[in-house]
Amino acid sequence: MLSDLPPEIVSEIVSHLPYKDILVLRQVFICGDFRDATNAHAVWLNLAKQYLAENPHSHFSNIQTLSSLTTDQLCERFEKRFMVNDLWQLSKEIYPSVKRLKGLSSPMLSISIAPGGRYLFAGTNKCSLYYWDLDSDNSEPVLLVPCDGMGNIPGRNNTIAEIDFLIEHDDPLSGFIVVFIGMDGNICKKSAEWLHIWNVIPQDDGALIAKRLKSLPMPYYGFYPKLSFNDHLVARTMNERVDVYWWRECIDTRLVRCTLGFKRSILVSNLYVVGSDKLLVFTRFADKYKARLYALESGYSEVEELAKVVSHATKIWSFRFSSEYHSRGISRLYFDGANYQQIIVMHGGICNLTIPALQADKATLTKVADFDLHQERAHSQIYGLGFNKGYCRVGKELCRFGYSLGLTSGSYKCGAPVDRRLDRVLQTVESHPTFDEELGRLVTTYMNHLVLHDFSLPLYNLADVNPDLNETKDKDTWNYWKPSVYKR
């Protein structure tokens, strides 16, 4: 029996068990030494390695750095992920806890959950960027930008139109870069627009501090852009074109950029910079959807006139696909060391797009799930899409669905019925919510308030789902709800 063995031997044995079995052992063991054995560093380290092997797309992707983390740090980073990963596949009815976060007095123009799933960011006018700590029981908005007395920043009268993030050290809880576009909200006044790049560092108490890295002038656009950012490039949509910048070489007075122009007016629903020399663009024209991959020339141009258009891109391939979820039905882009991966919801099922880094012209599209949301398109809505799990509503059911890259047999769908109270909350989920796959967190807006759906705090009874949205007090709001995040 395990109870007859020394604690260090128990730790070694327990370290090879799945997380759900370890939870059972913690309940069984009465002796403190044996309970401590299930919390040993070796146990958490092996659990973290198992998790990353099953979820290589995780923002905590560097297995080599795990050994340097303490037991408490491993627990902080992975315990909720283990739990969400297990419960997502359970066939029983499971609901997220739903609560309203304190909002802002100014309209929130864009919201996004940062990598790691702990912090929510929202942009407002006056170039203000706020954050919420979603791990806190009573999260309050905290002003991050402008900070440290730097109120007189370039573009300080701009509104924050789009937010993106970059992790440089494979651990978002150690720091990350946030980038956002500041645009003039008055389309009749063609003032300057800016690209702002800030370095964000979490503190031991959970607070964030930020340091401005760059603020770069951009050509005037006047509408809400699409934005993509990595450690080499930043791309943003313009009128009938996409501009790409090598942002590390940019200076305040001269932009280094290439421009991809389109021959006709099309809607760019999503775009992604790929490595240091490629751009993936998803477009819509009438009811035709296309994915296009472009190669950017190795050189670059120094453009003194911001309005000057220079074409430096060559199309590698394009394919047409059918989807009514052209924006919500596309996951983020992930690089596994050899291939760029992406999940796309299509008619007939869910597919995985694979782009080899060294042979980009050999891209493949593989079905990973037969779950066809389009069959229920009149009664379905995608809330979040990740690399092995997603969150949606189909009719009167709230659904968790999942899949394994490379095989259709690994897919599943678990539903839970929705009552009138929860139905009203779900009606406030907009077409552009923000979703963290690993922690099962969805944030949307409700009359300039933020509503958090949190599967890391799961509920197993519909009666326990008691969103703190006072239906009687907010009756007019429910009946005449209008989104506070402006449509793009």
Side-chain angles (χ1 to χ4, degrees):
M1 295 179 63
L2 282 176
S3 58
D4 296 329
L5 298 174
E8 59 272 14
I9 301 299
V10 174
S11 292
E12 178 62 27
I13 296 173
V14 170
S15 67
H16 297 283
L17 297 176
Y19 179 67
K20 59 184 178 182
D21 292 342
I22 294 176
L23 291 180
V24 174
L25 284 178
R26 288 176 183 169
Q27 296 175 349
V28 172
F29 285 145
I30 300 176
C31 176
D33 289 341
F34 291 111
R35 289 180 62 86
D36 292 342
T38 63
N39 277 309
H41 184 269
V43 174
W44 283 104
L45 182 60
N46 271 9
L47 284 173
K49 290 180 178 179
Q50 291 174 22
Y51 176 82
L52 293 183
E54 298 172 3
N55 301 270
H57 56 275
S58 172
H59 290 298
F60 299 91
S61 58
N62 192 341
I63 295 181
Q64 305 302 322
T65 63
L66 293 180
S67 300
S68 62
L69 299 177
T70 66
T71 302
D72 289 341
Q73 289 173 330
L74 288 170
C75 178
E76 177 188 14
R77 285 158 173 76
F78 290 100
E79 186 171 27
K80 288 184 178 180
R81 286 169 170 75
F82 301 154
M83 185 265 293
V84 171
N85 208 43
D86 287 342
L87 72 81
W88 210 264
Q89 303 178 49
L90 296 178
S91 58
K92 64 172 62 176
E93 297 175 2
I94 301 175
Y95 300 91
S97 60
V98 180
K99 68 176 180 179
R100 179 164 56 183
L101 305 176
K102 185 176 181 181
L104 302 171
S105 57
S106 301
M108 290 174 280
L109 279 298
S110 55
I111 61 173
S112 186
I113 297 177
R118 178 170 179 174
Y119 299 101
L120 171 72
F121 284 75
T124 69
N125 54 3
K126 303 299 182 183
C127 214
S128 298
L129 189 68
Y130 289 80
Y131 74 90
W132 289 254
D133 184 351
L134 299 181
D135 283 352
S136 173
D137 293 333
N138 297 294
S139 184
E140 296 278 341
V142 180
L143 178 64
L144 185 69
V145 175
C147 66
D148 298 331
M150 297 188 65
N152 190 29
I153 62 174
R156 61 187 178 276
N157 293 321
N158 285 176
T159 58
I160 296 179
E162 191 69 27
I163 304 171
D164 203 356
F165 303 94
L166 170 65
I167 306 172
E168 290 196 297
H169 305 294
D170 300 313
D171 185 351
L173 295 189
S174 296
F176 52 88
I177 290 176
V178 60
V179 58
F180 52 94
I181 289 180
M183 56 161 281
D184 196 312
N186 184 356
I187 61 175
C188 298
K189 180 182 178 183
K190 296 185 177 182
S191 60
E193 297 182 359
W194 295 81
L195 175 72
H196 301 279
I197 304 172
W198 290 68
N199 190 34
V200 180
I201 302 176
Q203 304 300 293
D204 292 338
D205 60 358
L208 300 179
I209 60 172
K211 179 181 179 182
R212 181 163 64 98
L213 298 180
K214 288 186 177 183
S215 292
L216 304 172
M218 307 190 81
Y220 175 78
Y221 180 39
F223 296 95
Y224 292 95
K226 296 292 183 181
L227 172 69
S228 181
F229 183 73
N230 69 9
D231 54 354
H232 302 285
L233 306 172
V234 59
R236 61 88 70 106
T237 53
M238 293 286 290
N239 185 27
E240 297 186 8
R241 75 177 199 258
V242 175
D243 286 353
V244 184
Y245 306 84
W246 284 263
W247 65 270
R248 292 191 187 275
E249 288 81 17
C250 283
I251 57 177
D252 286 348
T253 58
R254 181 173 294 181
L255 294 179
V256 181
R257 89 166 189 224
C258 76
T259 296
L260 169 64
F262 298 103
K263 295 181 180 180
R264 58 183 178 180
S265 297
I266 62 173
L267 171 66
V268 176
S269 56
N270 297 78
L271 77 158
Y272 304 89
V273 285
V274 181
S276 60
D277 59 356
K278 295 180 182 65
L279 180 67
L280 178 62
V281 183
F282 290 85
T283 63
R284 177 184 180 183
F285 181 76
D287 291 329
K288 298 177 181 179
Y289 302 88
K290 276 190 176 183
R292 313 162 191 245
L293 184 69
Y294 294 88
L296 309 178
E297 291 185 6
S298 57
Y300 56 83
S301 298
E302 294 184 350
V303 182
E304 295 190 22
E305 298 178 22
L306 297 183
K308 185 177 179 182
V309 177
V310 183
S311 180
H312 292 291
T314 303
K315 185 168 68 176
I316 299 176
W317 52 252
S318 68
F319 69 86
R320 184 177 296 178
F321 64 95
S322 56
S323 173
E324 297 192 8
Y325 300 99
H326 59 94
S327 183
R328 290 168 290 147
I330 302 174
S331 75
R332 66 181 175 91
L333 195 68
Y334 155 68
F335 183 56
D336 64 9
N339 303 292
Y340 292 92
Q341 308 272 2
Q342 194 163 47
I343 299 297
I344 305 175
V345 174
M346 300 173 63
H347 281 285
I350 299 173
C351 296
N352 174 38
L353 173 63
T354 301
I355 307 173
L358 300 180
Q359 291 183 300
D361 58 330
K362 304 295 184 182
T364 58
L365 195 64
T366 307
K367 183 185 289 188
V368 296
D370 289 323
F371 185 29
D372 190 355
L373 282 163
H374 294 83
Q375 291 181 351
E376 300 284 348
R377 60 184 177 273
H379 307 287
S380 66
Q381 185 177 14
I382 297 176
Y383 297 153
L385 186 68
F387 285 96
N388 61 12
K389 60 175 71 75
Y391 179 40
C392 70
R393 178 182 180 174
V394 179
K396 295 295 184 179
E397 277 196 325
L398 197 60
C399 295
R400 311 180 314 277
F401 59 94
Y403 32 82
S404 299
L405 297 185
L407 67 162
T408 307
S409 59
S411 62
Y412 59 89
K413 178 174 74 74
C414 309
V418 175
D419 66 0
R420 182 178 59 86
R421 294 174 305 122
L422 187 54
D423 179 69
R424 285 189 177 270
V425 176
L426 295 175
Q427 288 176 15
T428 69
V429 179
E430 300 180 41
S431 59
H432 292 85
T434 177
F435 178 69
D436 182 81
E437 171 189 8
E438 295 187 75
L439 293 180
R441 284 174 171 169
L442 172 82
V443 179
T444 186
T445 57
Y446 158 76
M447 289 303 292
N448 214 40
H449 288 278
L450 297 161
V451 180
L452 169 65
H453 305 228
D454 194 353
F455 277 100
S456 70
L457 297 172
L459 300 172
Y460 298 91
N461 190 328
L462 181 56
D464 295 332
V465 182
N466 186 27
D468 59 347
L469 302 173
N470 190 315
E471 185 175 339
T472 301
K473 179 180 177 181
D474 299 334
K475 182 177 180 180
D476 291 338
T477 298
W478 283 116
N479 293 333
Y480 303 102
W481 176 79
K482 295 180 181 180
S484 57
V485 173
Y486 299 162
K487 298 294 184 184
R488 293 165 173 76

